[in-house]
Amino acid sequence: MNKQASTAMWTAGAVAAALLLGACGSGDDSQDEIKGAGDSKPSKSAPASKSSAPSESEDSEIKLAKDAKNVFEDAKTDDPKKREVLADNQRRINSIDRVITTRKDTALVKKYSKGESLIAANKYILDAIKENQGWAGVTRYYNQKVELKSDTFAEVSFCADESKAKNKDLKSGELAPNNGGDLNYIFSELIVERNKDGVWQAMSGSETAKAEKCMD
């Protein structure tokens, strides 16, 4: 299981997996957990959607397991709309990794992803459950860029360095060695859309491992 496969496994063949995950827990359940994924306690309620754009702090504290961390380097842009797009993409990544590392708050995944992106995220989560895997360590995100296409559409690109992250057996706690080498450097591109609640949701995208542009 690739740690961040969810960022670009945009395959329609994952529809069945998406439907299966939907049956695991309602998106309206504020204590949403995946059934059969362990005996962890229910989490606090996910923030409710608002009619206006989310503030910089909303969902900013989406927490992963204590031994897992995503680090996002500053994108160096003063454009407030671009910063909104980047902030929601960071929340999207953290929402997926919260489920992967804690098996909690599946509703947050649907908040920041839809369409092919949501299908891919659901498949990634279900594969992790099947293999009883999470991850631990640090993943670094950098070279984050946004191209605004309109008031409601944008393209996001970024690099990820997974060299300091390892797959984790959630039952035994054992960490697998990271032997990925240059495959740990991943370039992702996403199409995102601003919904009526002001959230920029990932719709589709692509991913390239062993990306030279991310090895600078």
Side-chain angles (χ1 to χ4, degrees):
M1 182 194 78
N2 268 343
K3 189 194 93 53
Q4 281 298 328
S6 58
T7 56
M9 288 173 56
W10 318 115
T11 56
V15 171
L19 294 175
L20 178 58
L21 181 59
C24 289
S26 167
D28 295 328
D29 187 351
S30 62
Q31 293 184 338
D32 199 8
E33 291 190 43
I34 300 172
K35 295 178 181 178
D39 299 321
S40 53
K41 296 179 180 179
S43 62
K44 295 180 179 179
S45 300
S49 297
K50 299 179 180 179
S51 58
S52 59
S55 67
E56 283 287 330
S57 61
E58 183 179 346
D59 292 347
S60 61
E61 294 301 317
I62 298 175
K63 295 182 178 181
L64 281 57
K66 292 182 179 180
D67 58 359
K69 184 177 182 180
N70 287 327
V71 175
F72 299 92
E73 294 188 357
D74 185 54
K76 298 180 181 180
T77 177
D78 294 325
D79 187 313
K81 183 161 288 188
K82 288 185 177 181
R83 295 195 72 84
E84 282 184 6
V85 174
L86 290 170
D88 278 344
N89 184 55
Q90 292 171 13
R91 293 167 186 140
R92 178 191 66 84
I93 292 170
N94 281 337
S95 71
I96 295 169
D97 281 336
R98 174 163 174 78
V99 180
I100 292 296
T101 62
T102 71
R103 300 298 196 255
K104 297 179 181 179
D105 291 329
T106 60
L108 279 177
V109 177
K110 187 176 181 180
K111 181 174 181 179
Y112 295 104
S113 301
K114 69 177 183 178
E116 293 179 2
S117 176
L118 180 60
I119 291 170
N122 287 348
K123 183 180 185 303
Y124 172 54
I125 291 168
L126 285 171
D127 285 347
I129 294 170
K130 181 179 179 181
E131 298 173 17
N132 201 37
Q133 282 190 345
W135 65 272
V138 177
T139 299
R140 180 171 65 98
Y141 293 89
Y142 51 104
N143 293 349
Q144 302 176 86
K145 298 179 182 178
V146 177
E147 183 178 350
L148 297 172
K149 298 298 185 180
S150 69
D151 289 339
T152 55
F153 283 93
E155 292 183 0
V156 183
S157 64
F158 55 92
C159 288
D161 174 3
E162 299 183 349
S163 61
K164 295 183 179 179
K166 298 179 179 180
N167 283 342
K168 178 181 178 180
D169 186 305
L170 294 185
K171 186 173 183 180
S172 67
E174 182 178 353
L175 297 178
N178 184 330
N179 299 319
D182 288 348
L183 292 174
N184 283 301
Y185 297 93
I186 300 165
F187 178 71
S188 296
E189 294 179 291
L190 306 173
I191 303 296
V192 298
E193 181 182 22
R194 188 177 188 271
N195 67 15
K196 61 182 179 61
D197 296 317
V199 177
W200 289 91
Q201 294 179 297
M203 301 169 58
S204 62
S206 64
E207 179 179 82
T208 303
K210 201 176 181 179
E212 290 186 5
K213 65 177 66 181
C214 296
M215 297 182 194
D216 297 338

